[in-house]
Amino acid sequence: MSVQQYDEIGEAFEGFKSLPLMRYGEVPSFLGMVGEVAGKSVLDLACGTGFYSRELRRRGATDVLGVDISVEMVAAARDFEQREPLGVSYEVGDVAELRSFDRSFDIALGVQCLNYARSIAEMERMCRNIHRSLVPGGEFFLLAQKPDYRFDGPPLDKYGFRCELTDEKIETGVRGRVTALLDPQPITIVSTAPRREVYEECLGAAGFGEPEWVPLQVSEGGIREFGEEFWEDLLSNPPLELLRCRA
């Protein structure tokens, strides 16, 4: 993956979570899927600035380690920890070359993680590293671009994002350009939307049980804030999809 595009964003990445799609779609959907974490250990892969690491620690996770390939993202996460100490640890690391830890985790998170694999072999290696890091029966929760997202569907600008197809394809799937419409400076990231069968085959080869795809939903707070009609375009063609599986 391109580390540079994330190194250039740094703490500004945290602003993504304030946009309607993230605030009322991704965040409540993902946390709802993960569920109860009290007393559990969590490995947050591609943790970025540590948003989910901090949130699960607040919800009672006992041991939380965030790992990200970007030095600047990890620096921002550590700054948050210094300002509001929660007991979350962070380190720089590539999921494709993930080190062996001195303990196994109950839960692993992968928010916009596997979609940065540059090949099927690399994604399978990432999955094997994640599986190795979990206790038997541990759960892996994933969020990524929906594999069959229609880039020619209704625009997402009112939800805070713009998704465009690039001319590039790689072995795992098509490449897309996602722009977060932040004020005053939009931020654009290029990543891949791997095919559904690529995820399923790589996870299966790594030893995970059959994955369960979970649709993106809008929270009750989002309905109250904007009304049901506002979300119709998003729900007719959601740009994100969630997945859960067990080691």
Side-chain angles (χ1 to χ4, degrees):
M1 64 168 287
S2 172
V3 182
Q4 183 179 1
Q5 64 180 343
Y6 281 97
D7 281 342
E8 292 172 352
I9 296 171
E11 193 168 315
F13 185 69
E14 197 76 7
F16 281 44
K17 297 297 188 289
S18 68
L19 299 172
L21 171 58
M22 301 288 102
R23 183 177 180 183
Y24 297 113
E26 178 203 300
V27 173
S29 293
F30 191 70
L31 292 175
M33 177 177 66
V34 174
E36 178 61 54
V37 297
K40 296 182 179 180
S41 55
V42 177
L43 177 62
D44 185 5
L45 300 165
C47 69
T49 53
F51 177 88
Y52 286 109
S53 297
R54 296 192 302 276
E55 186 59 32
L56 295 193
R57 181 73 177 108
R58 293 188 189 105
R59 292 176 178 227
T62 54
D63 175 19
V64 182
L65 172 63
V67 179
D68 199 279
I69 197 171
S70 166
V71 172
E72 293 302 321
M73 287 287 185
V74 170
R78 287 172 174 164
D79 284 344
F80 280 114
E81 174 66 22
Q82 187 171 21
R83 280 179 252 161
E84 182 189 353
L86 294 170
V88 180
S89 300
Y90 299 98
E91 65 179 60
V92 177
D94 183 348
V95 180
E97 307 298 335
L98 193 65
R99 71 176 180 90
S100 295
F101 300 104
D102 58 3
R103 75 279 200 197
S104 297
F105 295 85
D106 299 308
I107 291 172
L109 312 180
V111 175
Q112 304 291 7
C113 174
L114 297 185
N115 48 309
Y116 284 104
R118 292 162 293 191
S119 66
I120 292 174
E122 183 173 67
M123 186 186 287
E124 184 177 322
R125 187 163 69 251
M126 293 167 77
C127 291
R128 290 186 185 279
N129 290 340
I130 296 166
H131 188 277
R132 183 194 68 217
S133 303
L134 288 168
V135 299
E139 291 185 283
F140 177 38
F141 298 98
L142 173 73
L143 182 141
Q145 183 91 40
K146 187 176 181 182
D148 47 7
Y149 174 70
R150 303 189 309 278
F151 284 89
D152 59 352
L156 300 176
D157 295 45
K158 65 182 177 180
Y159 309 116
F161 285 86
R162 187 170 297 145
C163 297
E164 304 163 293
L165 196 61
T166 70
D167 295 329
E168 185 184 4
K169 290 184 179 180
I170 63 173
E171 185 182 20
T172 59
V174 299
R175 300 274 282 166
R177 184 182 301 107
V178 177
T179 301
L181 303 176
L182 296 168
D183 185 25
Q185 182 64 47
I187 294 175
T188 297
I189 294 172
V190 177
S191 68
T192 306
R195 298 184 304 280
R196 199 173 298 273
E197 63 270 20
V198 172
Y199 281 115
E200 293 173 351
E201 290 170 7
C202 288
L203 288 165
F208 285 100
E210 184 174 352
E212 174 191 355
W213 291 93
V214 179
L216 184 76
Q217 296 182 331
V218 173
S219 69
E220 293 181 1
I223 301 297
R224 287 195 303 269
E225 179 75 17
F226 295 100
E228 291 187 7
E229 186 177 350
F230 175 83
W231 299 103
E232 288 178 355
D233 288 343
L234 175 73
L235 295 177
S236 70
N237 185 34
L240 302 171
E241 193 164 10
L242 301 84
L243 182 153
R244 66 191 304 165
C245 54
R246 193 176 294 274

